[in-house]
Amino acid sequence: MSDTEREVHAAARRAKEAAAELAPLGREAKDAALHAVADALVAEAASIVEANAEDVERARRSGEPGAMVDRLTLTEERVAAIADAVREVAELPDPVGEVVRGSVLPNGLELTQIRVPMGVIGIIYEGRPNVTADAAVLCLKSGNAALLRGSSSAYSSNTRIVEVIRGALEKTGVPADAVQLVPGAGRDSAQALMRARGLVDVLIPRGGGSLIQAVVRESTVPVIETGEGNCHVYVDEHADLDKALAIALNAKTQRCSVCNAAETALVHRAVAGRFLPRFLSALADLGVTVHGDDAVLAHDDRVVPATEADWSTEYLAMDIAVKVVDSLDEAVAHIREYSTSHTEAIVTDSQSAARRFVSRVDSAAVMVNASTRFTDGGEFGFGAEIGISTQKLHARGPMGLREMTSTKYVVTGDGHVR
């Protein structure tokens, strides 16, 4: 075992002990800790911004694009917004102890299934340092200890944020080791976290497709896949074309760099002649590059010929693939072949078409006459989320506090023997 692996496993053991102390705490103690964290973030905003300046300077020297530098940058106002988000989590209902179901068996045994924390959650993530605070407090509120492995690009920021959080926790009833930054900034520290089976209960990767797939392939710890979204909007032959235009444009352009943005539009041939000229013109006006099939190319000479790779690409940019299909079934077949099982939408005034689409599309969220951008924990009324799960085991879709818990059965008898 390398020195890095020993250090990571030692941190995981401390997290496991902290999780055991955290699990039985009631809502009052956890919420008090979260408010203490929020207050500490505001009080230490200047020191957090100072640490963040080191990350920003490194990013600029390395030639990172301006948009990436902006996502990395923290100001005192942005730190205050992070603190407000922490307070919002404190106001959410506590899922721990919630009774999922209960019954009295024929033999008189009382059977109750209740929500419990998972234990130790490892989170490997890229990009913005606000994720450090978000992930930590979501874990705390759901009774879990957090092992945080952020990107090296935000190392100084993440280190200071975790120091502030731990300092606040030390003044409360929540053990400080419930929040730890995984030791080390190199790839070996992430690999050590992935191999900490038995010490870490679950890993959640947050970031691009390459990060998520690397964690899935290499981890011996159970993984909840999140994030990657090759999302589709299908404009049906029975669609209200004004609604379709508004929905498709919103899904692509309202914020193009997120996992619930649309990356492909499928248009039924029966309405293509009326819909595509308006759609393509509007996309061009908004600065979107269209990668289209031959039928789409015929409508606008600004369209780029689509390649096979375009249908499976998560652009996260002002690009979209557009294809004309002959039927709803062809649209569904295309989605099933290229989708990452995140979010798909149909625009139609036909109830039978909507039902057929919903029943045949196998994704975490299916929208009927609504933008893909609604797949979000806040929009779903969950208050907050750790990510969007695109798998089928344990959690699927936006992962709010309830999805960060497991369950256990409590069986109460009166001297019962079998």
Side-chain angles (χ1 to χ4, degrees):
M1 184 180 290
S2 68
D3 289 344
T4 297
E5 198 164 4
R6 275 191 288 270
E7 290 178 8
V8 172
H9 283 208
R13 289 188 185 92
R14 294 193 297 271
K16 192 164 187 173
E17 292 176 5
E21 294 181 46
L22 181 59
L25 292 181
R27 175 176 180 175
E28 184 176 344
K30 290 187 287 188
D31 287 353
L34 294 186
H35 282 291
V37 166
D39 292 343
L41 288 170
V42 172
E44 293 295 332
S47 69
I48 293 170
V49 171
E50 183 179 356
N52 175 253
E54 299 175 13
D55 295 325
V56 172
E57 179 59 27
R58 281 196 302 271
R60 286 179 175 148
R61 284 202 307 266
S62 65
E64 289 289 339
M68 294 301 295
V69 173
D70 181 67
R71 285 164 66 89
L72 179 64
T73 301
L74 290 177
T75 62
E76 293 199 18
E77 291 75 18
R78 289 184 177 184
V79 174
I82 293 172
D84 288 341
V86 174
R87 295 188 183 97
E88 289 172 6
V89 172
E91 298 304 313
L92 296 174
D94 186 353
V96 177
E98 177 184 301
V99 176
V100 178
R101 59 181 171 179
S103 62
V104 178
L105 303 179
N107 61 5
L109 286 174
E110 295 180 1
L111 179 69
T112 307
Q113 184 184 21
I114 62 172
R115 293 196 180 279
V116 295
M118 290 183 180
V120 177
I121 297 180
I123 303 174
I124 300 178
Y125 54 100
E126 296 173 326
R128 296 172 298 176
N130 66 290
V131 175
T132 300
D134 293 344
V137 300
L138 284 168
C139 286
L140 289 173
K141 178 75 177 193
S142 54
N144 298 291
L147 284 173
L148 306 172
R149 175 55 170 79
S151 62
S152 58
S153 63
Y155 185 77
S156 297
S157 308
N158 292 340
T159 299
R160 184 60 190 138
I161 290 170
V162 170
E163 288 172 349
V164 170
I165 293 173
R166 287 172 58 85
L169 294 181
E170 286 172 354
K171 302 173 184 177
T172 72
V174 173
D177 282 336
V179 177
Q180 297 180 69
L181 201 64
V182 174
R187 180 173 172 78
D188 54 346
S189 69
Q191 291 175 324
L193 180 62
M194 295 181 218
R195 296 171 186 150
R197 189 177 180 91
L199 297 173
V200 178
D201 294 288
V202 66
L203 274 179
I204 302 175
R206 287 188 54 166
S210 59
L211 168 70
I212 294 168
Q213 292 310 309
V215 174
V216 170
R217 287 193 307 268
E218 298 178 28
S219 180
T220 62
V221 175
V223 176
I224 297 177
E225 296 182 48
T226 68
E228 192 175 6
N230 184 19
C231 304
H232 298 73
V233 175
Y234 165 57
V235 180
D236 185 52
E237 63 179 319
H238 303 293
D240 178 314
L241 298 187
D242 289 334
K243 290 180 183 176
L245 183 64
I247 288 169
L249 291 176
N250 177 266
K252 176 68 258 181
T253 66
Q254 193 261 344
R255 190 178 173 195
C256 66
S257 62
V258 290
C259 62
N260 58 14
E263 306 291 19
T264 300
L266 304 172
V267 181
H268 196 289
R269 193 174 300 278
V271 296
R274 289 176 289 143
F275 179 72
L276 283 176
R278 298 173 61 195
F279 184 47
L280 298 176
S281 177
L283 289 171
D285 290 344
L286 292 167
V288 180
T289 298
V290 175
H291 305 254
D293 67 359
D294 290 342
V296 177
L297 285 164
H299 287 278
D300 196 314
D301 57 12
R302 292 168 292 187
V303 175
V304 176
T307 65
E308 177 63 23
D310 284 317
W311 308 123
S312 56
T313 297
E314 183 188 24
Y315 295 106
L316 300 176
M318 293 293 266
D319 291 78
I320 190 171
V322 181
K323 181 179 183 179
V324 173
V325 295
D326 289 321
S327 65
L328 183 151
D329 287 342
E330 184 182 344
V332 169
H334 180 99
I335 290 169
R336 293 183 72 92
E337 181 172 357
Y338 296 104
S339 171
T340 54
S341 301
H342 190 296
T343 302
E344 326 302 343
I346 181 175
V347 186
T348 185
D349 284 343
S350 166
Q351 291 187 9
S352 63
R355 286 194 297 267
R356 187 175 180 84
F357 188 84
V358 169
S359 66
R360 289 177 174 265
V361 168
D362 187 22
S363 291
V366 182
M367 304 290 176
V368 178
N369 294 325
S371 171
T372 59
R373 289 284 287 117
F374 283 106
T375 304
D376 175 85
E379 295 292 336
F380 278 17
F382 300 166
E385 68 175 41
I386 198 68
I388 309 292
S389 171
T390 54
Q391 63 171 35
K392 296 184 182 181
L393 297 180
H394 174 67
R396 201 177 192 199
M399 289 187 62
L401 290 172
R402 281 189 175 88
E403 287 70 34
M404 294 179 70
T405 63
S406 183
T407 65
K408 70 180 176 185
Y409 288 96
V410 178
V411 182
T412 304
D414 185 18
H416 283 67
V417 295
R418 183 173 177 181

